[in-house]
Amino acid sequence: MTKYLALCSALLVAACSTTPLPAKRPLSDDHLQQLATTNVVTSENVQGVKAGWFQQDSSATTAQYGLIGALVSATMDGIANAGPASRARAISDEIATVIEPEELDRMLTAAIVKAKETDEMTTTVNYGEVSSIQKVLHSDPIDDSISVTTDYILSEDATTLKVIANVSYENKEIPYVTPFTFEDSVPKSEEEGPLYKNIFAYISDQQEIPPLTDEMKAELVEIVKASYRDEDGQLPTDGVAFKKLTRDLENAKDDKLSNSEASIFTAKKWTENEGEFLYRELAKAHDFIARYIIIDMNDTSIPSIEDEDVIVEELEDFRTITRAGGVVNAGSYVSTPGNYVGTVTFGNAQAVTKEAEDRLYELHKEARKAKKNNK
């Protein structure tokens, strides 16, 4: 099971600490009584469903050659990354045709409201009112509310959707005191911050990659050519663009599908029937997150990096929900499908739509202006 949980490790906040710490900061019994019914603030999504891809970076290899090495590295990486980057952008554009960031926000809010109204939520800490905030404009910690920030990423081969929720609770009137013990002094990261935090990961049911056919090869070749044609419909005949085109055509004509190439065919399945499969998986992800936030906040047990993975729930569709052990992951939750293949990767870069990029740029511009005016 640990190989499943490794999918989330790059996003875990605890991974940034020099001292290994669990992902979860638990509340105490006293905290539970003080919180009781607590409002929820979700972070408004801007990027939508992102497409993961692997970005090559050979700068470390060529650094010893100085400026010449840097120029060579940039050229090599540009050629290698052009195809995967453009295909990932195309996938994010395609997904955006069936679901926009605002709809992701609405679905998450609806799931939290649904959990709030469920009879099984007879716990000490419960959901209060639900609102949202744009964290780019309001970056200060949210006080006395459960903060929920979600991230949506398709795998490199577009077979799998990963939904990550980072959840925390902070209260200016209740100082944080670490529940963990340390052989030496308490790390600085454990001297402040939220009273509670944890991470919840949902791994979707997986799409199948179709077997490679001659028709698929021909389609790949045409897709590659289309991405390089200029306004007059002509292909490049020299320079860097020609080198990129030649490389991508060679890859398209071989007898294997790279993750990036496979994504061209699997991504289509997420948008079929107006995104039926996508919406179903998102609904399941949000329900899992909304339900387990409350379950976990009411669990005062202190996780340890020595803990083992524990399956806490097995669902009728063979999906399992696991509480993680081990360094970094300890205390976090992951929901995985019965057909999950643990070798799926989500890349080291994510593509978003041009609209999302522009929106983020404007938000950061507005935030910088507001910060300058407040000085």
Side-chain angles (χ1 to χ4, degrees):
M1 184 62 68
T2 300
K3 63 181 180 181
Y4 298 164
L5 304 174
L7 290 168
C8 313
S9 61
L11 293 171
L12 297 183
V13 177
C16 300
S17 173
T18 54
T19 301
L21 293 167
K24 176 184 176 179
R25 277 187 181 180
L27 295 170
S28 67
D29 288 328
D30 288 341
H31 292 152
L32 298 187
Q33 299 301 323
Q34 290 171 296
L35 268 64
T37 298
T38 304
N39 292 338
V40 183
V41 178
T42 64
S43 178
E44 291 179 3
N45 189 285
V46 177
Q47 297 177 310
V49 177
K50 299 181 287 187
W53 63 284
F54 184 79
Q55 184 175 31
Q56 177 177 301
D57 182 1
S58 58
S59 59
T61 304
T62 58
Q64 59 183 312
Y65 301 107
L67 179 59
I68 296 299
L71 293 173
V72 171
S73 171
T75 301
M76 291 169 52
D77 292 342
I79 294 172
N81 292 329
S86 62
R87 283 193 281 270
R89 167 61 71 85
I91 289 171
S92 64
D93 288 341
E94 187 172 358
I95 298 296
T97 63
V98 295
I99 191 162
E100 296 181 344
E102 294 79 7
E103 182 60 24
L104 294 171
D105 293 339
R106 286 192 287 269
M107 293 182 72
L108 175 61
T109 297
I112 294 172
V113 171
K114 175 184 173 183
K116 171 185 173 182
E117 298 172 348
T118 301
D119 290 340
E120 70 179 53
M121 289 301 176
T122 54
T123 50
T124 305
V125 174
N126 288 290
Y127 292 131
E129 298 301 315
V130 185
S131 61
S132 63
I133 193 172
Q134 179 45 254
K135 286 194 173 181
V136 175
L137 301 178
H138 305 278
S139 57
D140 292 337
I142 298 169
D143 188 53
D144 195 22
S145 291
I146 301 168
S147 173
V148 183
T149 302
T150 49
D151 211 24
Y152 307 83
I153 308 172
L154 274 180
S155 59
E156 291 180 68
D157 58 10
T159 62
T160 312
L161 174 69
K162 175 171 63 175
V163 182
I164 298 283
N166 282 276
V167 183
S168 63
Y169 174 84
E170 193 159 348
N171 192 316
K172 295 177 182 177
E173 302 299 321
I174 312 174
Y176 172 67
V177 178
T178 182
F180 307 115
T181 56
F182 303 94
E183 292 183 1
D184 299 316
S185 60
V186 175
K188 189 172 182 59
S189 62
E190 281 297 296
E191 294 178 351
E192 57 186 7
L195 294 177
Y196 166 86
K197 68 176 182 179
N198 207 353
I199 297 170
F200 304 81
Y202 178 90
I203 309 300
S204 75
D205 291 351
Q206 292 184 284
Q207 306 275 14
E208 291 186 0
I209 298 176
L212 184 61
T213 63
D214 290 339
E215 290 77 10
M216 290 169 64
K217 286 185 183 180
E219 183 176 350
L220 283 172
V221 168
E222 291 307 312
I223 289 173
V224 169
K225 288 182 178 180
S227 66
Y228 284 94
R229 294 189 187 279
D230 60 21
E231 294 180 355
D232 298 323
Q234 300 301 308
L235 293 172
T237 56
D238 56 22
V240 174
F242 176 72
K243 292 179 180 179
K244 293 179 181 178
L245 170 63
T246 302
R247 178 188 176 113
D248 286 349
L249 286 175
E250 290 174 353
N251 291 336
K253 293 174 183 178
D254 63 21
D255 292 323
K256 58 183 180 181
L257 282 174
S258 66
N259 283 334
S260 179
E261 290 170 341
S263 68
I264 294 172
F265 304 101
T266 52
K268 299 174 182 178
K269 299 178 182 179
W270 293 97
T271 57
E272 289 177 352
N273 300 319
E274 299 182 340
E276 179 182 358
F277 182 80
L278 174 63
Y279 274 85
R280 187 185 74 198
E281 290 303 307
L282 287 170
K284 288 161 61 178
H286 291 141
D287 285 346
F288 155 70
I289 290 166
R291 191 160 67 93
Y292 267 86
I293 288 173
I294 287 298
I295 290 174
D296 186 56
M297 290 188 75
N298 283 276
D299 178 8
T300 59
S301 60
I302 301 173
S304 167
I305 60 175
E306 304 297 328
D307 292 343
E308 298 287 336
D309 297 347
V310 176
I311 294 177
V312 296
E313 187 175 1
E314 295 179 322
L315 305 180
E316 292 181 358
D317 61 355
F318 303 106
R319 178 170 287 276
T320 58
I321 298 173
T322 303
R323 184 175 62 249
V327 177
V328 178
N329 293 311
S332 63
Y333 286 82
V334 60
S335 174
T336 50
N339 71 336
Y340 181 64
V341 178
T343 54
V344 68
T345 55
F346 291 84
N348 59 1
Q350 291 90 41
V352 300
T353 64
K354 179 65 164 56
E355 290 76 11
E357 284 184 350
D358 292 343
R359 171 67 172 148
L360 275 173
Y361 174 80
E362 292 300 326
L363 285 170
H364 283 290
K365 182 179 178 181
E366 185 178 347
R368 288 193 298 270
K369 183 178 178 180
K371 185 177 181 180
K372 182 178 179 180
N373 292 337
N374 290 333
K375 285 185 177 180

